[in-house]
Amino acid sequence: MEERGKQLLVRAYFLSLEHPPEIWLPGIRKKNIISSNGQSQERWLVRIRLKLGQFEGVAECSLANREGLTFPVLVGRRLLRNRFLVDVSKKQLQP
């Protein structure tokens, strides 16, 4: 976290060829997030531009260290709602 002028910036690392390994994003606020195992964790929220298939838009995301976990990014139900039909029997449909 770093303050530049009146803007609070949060440092994040993305696993993407389109982004540098380290990127600074404007922090929106901190929020308590409850994980799937029931543990509460305070995380920074940021807005990012993303592309999923044909969808391009801005999403509010919480930042967490997912190093060593199976999935480096989790996409929430609210982002998918009314935009995608999810077939849980399929895997890796987008190249």
Side-chain angles (χ1 to χ4, degrees):
M1 179 175 67
E2 183 176 300
E3 200 170 328
R4 293 185 189 166
K6 293 186 178 188
Q7 191 172 38
L8 180 66
L9 299 175
V10 179
R11 182 174 49 187
Y13 299 90
F14 288 94
L15 302 174
S16 167
L17 298 175
E18 296 177 15
H19 294 285
E22 176 183 282
I23 189 168
W24 290 87
L25 299 165
I28 299 172
R29 67 182 182 281
K30 284 186 175 181
K31 183 177 180 180
N32 275 329
I33 306 288
I34 299 174
S35 67
S36 60
N37 63 10
Q39 292 183 341
S40 179
Q41 184 181 45
E42 189 175 58
R43 298 184 190 168
W44 276 102
L45 296 179
V46 295
R47 283 195 183 92
I48 63 168
R49 178 166 292 285
L50 59 89
K51 182 176 181 178
L52 287 171
Q54 299 296 319
F55 170 77
E56 286 189 54
V58 175
E60 192 172 279
C61 302
S62 67
L63 299 177
N65 183 357
R66 298 199 51 82
E67 185 177 14
L69 297 176
T70 304
F71 301 104
V73 175
L74 299 179
V75 179
R77 292 176 292 192
R78 279 181 270 157
L79 178 67
L80 299 174
R81 188 176 294 135
N82 298 324
R83 294 185 181 103
F84 296 92
L85 178 63
V86 177
D87 185 343
V88 297
S89 70
K90 309 272 186 199
K91 291 184 179 183
Q92 302 294 333
L93 298 178
Q94 287 290 323

